[in-house]
Amino acid sequence: MGTWQSVLLPSKSGEAAFNHSEYNQDILFSTYVLEFGVTDWWTLGTYVDFMSGAGQGYSYLQTRAITSRIRFPRIPDFIDPAIQIEYWVPTGAANNPSFLDLILIGEKKVGRFVFDINSSFFFETANPGGAAEGIPPDMEYAGGLYYLLADNVNFGVEAFGALGPVTAMLPFGGPVGSANIQQNYIFQSWNFAIGDHIDWNVGVGTGLTQASAPFVFKTIFEYHFKPFGSQEEGEQYKEEQNIH
């Protein structure tokens, strides 16, 4: 169970998110997460997103159902792989699209360094306001390089971006106010494990393109119930990476 909070000052995206205007507003995105681990390798869950900003109140944005997150056996001396499938449920307002998001996840630990990369592919499954064009999908990415300062603290550098359709990537630059520009961000991030159940991530970032917000603050707070934990499982999990 967790919550993600991201503040963009100001938002420069010219696109409307589910009929909510974002352009040139100080935007707060809030996500509330509930996941259930069916097994060590298979997770189900849901994300519920809210948004507020200058000139508008705190309001529901959309729901994302994690239909499946599956971890695969690690590939020795290469990478720890996983795949996540999300369905973006349209809101009740008219002309709202829905999406299927396929996320490919990989993580690698070398000594005290951890590297992870998430490649996300958005397939539009329905668009009442226009033609549904599921192929080619839009691509986004998230990646990070972290250094383990201690067993319960690490520091990292993260990058996030939205690149546009995979067959026709958006340009890195363009006219001011244009929505058809890549959004890319770079962050410095701290991660803390507090006791056996709480994880806290906090980061400060900046946008790298004209469509990106100049300043972003994010914080992620997660509580892990671990109701079936045992000493034997605890020793096993020390060898597993925290793919996210």
Side-chain angles (χ1 to χ4, degrees), residues 9-48:
L9 301 172
S11 171
K12 285 192 172 182
S13 172
E15 300 181 36
F18 291 89
N19 286 351
H20 292 258
S21 174
E22 296 180 32
Y23 183 65
N24 273 342
Q25 299 190 50
D26 299 336
I27 298 295
L28 168 65
F29 286 104
S30 302
T31 297
Y32 302 94
V33 184
L34 180 63
E35 294 187 21
F36 176 74
V38 181
T39 71
D40 294 348
W41 302 88
W42 178 30
T43 300
L44 302 175
T46 187
Y47 293 30
V48 181

Side-chain angles (χ1 to χ4, degrees), residues 77-122:
D77 301 322
F78 180 56
I79 201 168
D80 299 344
I83 186 171
Q84 180 165 313
I85 301 171
E86 294 182 5
Y87 176 66
W88 293 53
V89 181
T91 63
N95 299 329
N96 285 162
S98 60
F99 300 93
L100 188 66
D101 186 9
L102 178 65
I103 306 171
L104 306 180
I105 304 170
E107 186 173 83
K108 177 66 176 178
K109 182 178 180 182
V110 180
R112 302 189 71 84
F113 287 93
V114 177
F115 171 79
D116 67 36
I117 182 71
N118 296 1
S119 298
S120 183
F121 300 90
F122 285 88

